[in-house]
Amino acid sequence: MNPATKAVALLAAVFFTSISLSASTGIEIKEEKLKDSAVDLIYVLGNNLRRFIAESKNETITGRYFVDKQLIKEGQLDSGGYKELVQKISTLVTPHRQPANDALCRTPFKVFLRVGNDTQRLTGCRSSGYGSIFSRITRDAEFLLYSKK
Amino acid sequence: MGVTLRSKLLILSTLGIIGVAVFSFIAVKAFKATTKNSNKAKTIAIKLVEKPQADPKPTIDVCHNAYTVFCSKKGIARDPTGVVKKDLLGELQALRTYEEIIHETPGLSADEVDEELVKRIYTPERTRRIRSAYEWARFSIQKIINAQHGDILSKTEKRTLKKVLETTPLELPPPASVYADEPDLLTKNDVFYERFENGTRRLRVGGAYLLTVKSWFNMVFTLAHELAHTIDPCELKAQNIEVKAYKSLAECFIETDLTAKPDPEKECQENDHLSEAFADWMAVQVAAVTLKKYSTEFDRAQLMNAAINTVRDLCEEEEILEFDTVSHPSSKVRIQNIFAENPVVRTVLGCSIKNSENRYCSFDWKGKN
């Protein structure tokens, strides 16, 4: 490998590492602020509209999962798991991310994150951009809701 | 005399007052009676109109109103290959299994729970049937393409369409890592096609679908519908692939009221049903061949249940207002006009094809007769 190619490869490696680090770190949300916060994940798969809502209020964290507006599961969430979930969602909705072009999207999603009075949102499509990150977040949300006894 | 005259006048005026009072009383009574009668008449009229709705046993037959016959059937229809349960039941079963695994072995990570879930849902028998339905659907669509005359689909167009179908694999767990980038699918009822910005395509089947659907006929229709999306007019347009015959097909969809005429600027975008109507239309042809294949083995009732199960899940109307993506035609259009008007389906169901043959859309559609 000649020196020029090495330099390009090194620069590319540094660039991609910094991107993945910023994506995994996101914005640190202080524990105190989480006491008044909410998460809303709305998405379409096939013919169904699905929605996961989690809300932290008065020292209690409640989660609800709906399919086509029908409540499927409701329960309290573990605070540690909720904090992790909010952290992951914050990396998805950070302002520098551009919404995906979903003109032909059959599997759109919307994400809302409210911390105190500050609300951030993102609209996207599963088959482009952040679809995979979104899918893992919804799986984690389900795990959180079903794992609390 | 004067007194007498005054008395007479008094009597007359008293009688007049009494007369007016009596007349008013009678008039009010008469008015009330009329109103009451007209209300009564209205009630009777409503009853006459309502009566047939309350008692729908009479003459609904599958040849003229398949939508009502299919969607008003209570309970599940059992064909010899299995049943189709309600969407949500499969998802609830998958979520219950998910919950059981979490609580049976506390401390498992989300990925470990997914692996165990896959073992319990994507069993060899279930995945074998899905793969087999996928192969049959793909083979049948390719056969439909091959059967078109060279003037309708050129050799190059046929080759392109078949290549798209061949390069759309069915991805199924196990292992769970096959869906590592979409792990939430493991508990969902959806079967869907995706194309990515880098051009790769794939078909995936949510775990709950394997629990909801046992009927071979539904599997074939569902997989054929998703496979048809790989070559639907909007998918190809997005990839700058032009198939001339699609133009007259789209015109036929509009002429026969399967789709509305889209605003040229919004073609293939929100609320344009072209893509979904095409996928249904193609899948119906595959389903029709499948039903015909079994028409000599099944008795009439079994065949009817197989037809119902083919499109039973379409009865559940989608209403996803939050995203303004009402991309499917209505359930009634899908079942009545696209499925039950197909001449092969009609023949299988023992219905006349006198009117449907000329009206049903095909690649070589030349206009309404």
Side-chain angles (χ1 to χ4, degrees), chain B residues 79-292:
Chain B
D79 71 59
T81 66
V83 297
V84 178
K85 288 191 258 178
K86 274 193 167 280
D87 278 10
L88 208 50
L89 291 178
E91 292 210 1
L92 288 172
Q93 196 181 335
L95 286 169
R96 266 199 301 274
T97 311
Y98 190 69
E99 195 169 20
E100 271 167 28
I101 296 166
I102 291 172
H103 295 305
E104 270 169 21
T105 323
L108 288 183
S109 69
D111 287 343
E112 287 167 331
V113 172
D114 284 350
E115 202 58 67
E116 184 56 32
L117 185 70
V118 161
K119 269 188 209 160
R120 296 190 194 185
I121 293 181
Y122 292 84
T123 60
E125 174 56 20
R126 289 184 187 137
T127 52
R128 187 193 59 76
R129 291 190 81 213
I130 284 287
R131 282 190 197 284
S132 161
Y134 162 81
E135 293 297 342
W136 170 250
R138 193 170 66 171
F139 167 78
S140 304
I141 295 175
Q142 286 177 330
K143 208 172 160 188
I144 291 165
I145 292 167
N146 280 335
Q148 304 307 313
H149 193 276
D151 294 345
I152 305 294
L153 288 178
S154 70
K155 267 187 185 169
T156 316
E157 287 173 333
K158 285 181 185 177
R159 209 178 306 126
T160 306
L161 296 178
K162 287 189 288 183
K163 194 175 175 200
V164 170
L165 288 164
E166 276 157 21
T167 51
T168 308
L170 171 67
E171 293 185 347
L172 278 182
S177 58
V178 173
Y179 288 179
D181 57 340
E182 280 181 301
D184 62 333
L185 273 187
L186 300 174
T187 53
K188 303 295 182 291
N189 196 50
D190 306 294
V191 179
F192 66 99
Y193 155 69
E194 289 174 294
R195 178 175 50 83
F196 293 86
E197 283 160 345
N198 65 8
T200 57
R201 306 176 181 88
R202 69 188 183 198
L203 231 68
R204 286 183 163 182
V205 180
Y209 181 80
L210 301 183
L211 305 172
T212 305
V213 173
K214 307 285 180 203
S215 167
W216 169 253
F217 298 94
N218 187 279
M219 285 182 196
V220 167
F221 178 81
T222 305
L223 287 159
H225 175 100
E226 293 307 323
L227 266 174
H229 273 308
T230 66
I231 54 164
D232 80 37
C234 298
E235 263 301 284
L236 297 189
K237 186 182 170 189
Q239 297 165 78
N240 296 318
I241 300 172
E242 195 194 348
V243 176
K244 281 183 189 144
Y246 281 7
K247 196 167 175 275
S248 60
L249 193 60
E251 280 167 10
C252 180
F253 288 166
I254 294 167
E255 283 249 2
T256 54
D257 299 326
L258 302 186
T259 59
K261 192 167 187 170
D263 177 343
E265 283 175 19
K266 292 194 170 174
E267 202 174 69
C268 288
Q269 291 186 20
E270 283 169 7
N271 294 321
D272 183 8
H273 296 166
L274 175 60
S275 164
E276 292 299 333
F278 176 90
D280 277 346
W281 171 82
M282 183 61 90
V284 163
Q285 292 181 73
V286 175
V289 174
T290 314
L291 285 166
K292 194 179 171 191

Side-chain angles (χ1 to χ4, degrees), chain A residues 92 109 125-136, chain B residues 181-182:
Chain A
L92 195 63
F109 66 79
C125 184
R126 281 172 81 99
S127 56
S128 61
Y130 326 111
S132 174
I133 303 171
F134 178 78
S135 173
R136 269 177 271 159
Chain B
D181 57 340
E182 280 181 301

